[in-house]
Amino acid sequence: MPDQALPDCLFCKIALGAIPVERIYEDDLVLAFPDINPQAPQHLLLIPKQHLASTREAIAEHTPMLGRLVAAAAQVALQKHLQNGYRLVINTGPDGGQTVHHLHLHLLGGRPMNWPPG
Ligand code: AMP
Ligand code: ZN
């Protein structure tokens, strides 16, 4: 079962509560917490509680969870008063700059974002 918690996965440990974080938002599928190395005044991570390495492994059965990630991000953005906008980012694989191999959505806000990204 590929989506079970991996013992050596940092974000699985966070989802299970083995590593404490400020749990900004939580439901049955999703957890949001602050990024430890913020790149904007507001920088939060939203993760599925179930392990999924990246969007490369995403299949149709993950659709509810992936949809919930985006809906939760919108809710957290409201909670953080990001009415002026924000950026949602999913880094995937080496070329995408992914460093933690448990899928996560970055929510960045509180300043204007540049385009194109680096
Ligand atoms: P990515 O480069 O897209 O894989 O993003 C991984 C993110 O996880 C980076 O922005 C890190 O700062 C963040 N990160 C790593 N360890 C932790 C942690 N223990 N708590 C919160 N954020 C973390
Ligand atoms: Zn994991």
Side-chain angles (χ1 to χ4, degrees):
M1 172 77 177
D3 292 347
Q4 277 181 341
L6 297 188
D8 294 329
C9 173
L10 175 64
F11 287 175
C12 280
K13 289 182 192 168
I14 287 176
L16 290 168
I19 295 175
V21 293
E22 184 189 352
R23 298 172 95 91
I24 303 267
Y25 170 94
E26 185 169 11
D27 61 36
D28 55 325
L29 297 179
V30 171
L31 172 67
F33 56 91
D35 194 292
I36 206 168
N37 182 23
Q39 302 301 313
Q42 294 289 345
H43 186 175
L44 305 163
L45 299 175
L46 293 102
I47 63 168
K49 289 183 169 179
Q50 276 202 333
H51 183 84
L52 178 62
S54 78
T55 57
R56 291 179 295 187
E57 287 75 24
I59 57 173
E61 76 179 43
H62 297 120
T63 303
M65 172 262 274
L66 294 170
R68 189 78 75 77
L69 270 183
V70 175
Q75 198 169 317
V76 172
L78 275 182
Q79 189 183 321
K80 293 293 181 183
H81 309 292
L82 299 176
Q83 291 92 337
N84 211 40
Y86 49 86
R87 182 165 292 173
L88 301 178
V89 174
I90 299 177
N91 296 323
T92 299
D95 280 2
Q98 185 177 9
T99 59
V100 177
H101 299 285
H102 176 130
L103 189 147
H104 49 283
L105 182 62
H106 295 259
L107 168 60
L108 297 139
R111 65 165 171 82
M113 299 292 151
N114 299 315
W115 194 264

